[in-house]
Amino acid sequence: MSIPPTTTIQSIAERIKTGQITRIIVLTGAGISTSAGIPDFRTPKTGLYDRLAPLNLPTPESIFHISYFSHSPEPFYAIAQARHPSTLKPTLSHAFLALLAKKNILHFLFTQNIDGLEEDAGVPAEKILWTHASYPDDLMRKAIKTGDVPYCLEPKCSGAIKPEVVFFGESLPEEFDEKVKLIPEADLMLVMGTSLRVAPCSGIPRMMEPGVPRVLINMERCGDMGSRDGDVSILGDCDVGVREFAEALGWRGELEALWEEVVAAKAKIAGPESEDGGEDGPDLDACIAKIAAQMDERLGISKGHKKMLESHLGDKFARMMAGDRPAS
Ligand code: OAD
């Protein structure tokens, strides 16, 4: 019996070069943007969720939960400001996605990110589904830039405006069900920079037809990636993994040139310095500390108020017990 050939990144690259692979489905998460300066969510210590500790939220994810946002929108906007400085630039991994699109082999991209860097790198919008958001409009961008909660201008409403982001507790756009139908047509799946911990995106890799190769480029193993014949895992920094893949494809020079081009184009739009706190935008931990102090202050007022009421009622009760009639 002959031993089936092992799938490697080189053998996959060979199949791409020879035109046997032409429809690649990509799933990305926060890890492809960490080298642009946006922390991911779940990496211990550096990820957003650990850094939210000063806010004492019910759970770190609450900040993105619709029921929490509906009564406390401030923390969401405070961190959105730090996570989306206008000077963000696409990473090499974003440029690689644009190169796949340029070569007409990107079948579709599911992204869990809302930074818009895939589009900045040149991936056409019709090839992307933002599974957690559509890109914020100008007013929303302004709110995100200042960190202030935008309120409805209608006097009868004046509620906090929710960004066009799909929060936990909300349904994904109907388009998601439409786009997952593309998955069985794919001849390669590429998963990059995600922990595969959040449904329904976490289920996408399992929707690939058995036997179709799947490539993981990520700091750690995740989901069921690596468990099937034909799976290839490149563990480590995704820009490094992407360089290895590009090298195997013979596209390294082209990739570096494209990346340089898209970074320069973004720098031109954003300008060298932005009003929102310099090159890197406002500091995330400083934004968190500021909002935590505001929340403590509000809690302090309500604690003081409670104490005052308790002592007032206590006095009233004591007078009643002593036979005094209340004044009114
Ligand atoms: P996570 O923070 O859960 O996972 C990021 C993954 O990327 C982890 O496996 C990291 O090890 C890996 N990683 C980080 N930096 C990397 C790098 N430079 N190179 C390679 N890998 C790297 O982020 P997501 O999976 O995107 O939802 O999270 C999914 C959803 O959970 C988010 O969209 C968000 C969050 O709660 C909402 O906000 C509704």
Side-chain angles (χ1 to χ4, degrees), residues 28-35 38-44 47-49 61 63-65 76 93 111-114 131-132 165-168 192-198 201 217-222 234-240:
T28 57
I32 70 160
S33 295
T34 51
S35 65
I38 317 177
D40 67 2
F41 297 91
R42 296 181 178 79
T43 293
L48 177 70
Y49 289 160
E61 287 91 346
I63 197 165
F64 301 120
H65 199 289
F76 174 87
S93 299
T111 178
Q112 298 169 89
N113 302 341
I114 58 168
T131 61
H132 284 308
V165 174
V166 180
F167 279 58
F168 287 122
M192 295 204 291
T194 175
S195 62
L196 289 180
R197 298 267 289 276
V198 177
C201 286
I217 305 183
N218 204 42
M219 208 62 100
E220 56 178 6
R221 294 196 180 282
C222 56
I234 305 181
L235 298 180
D237 180 80
C238 54
D239 293 338
V240 174

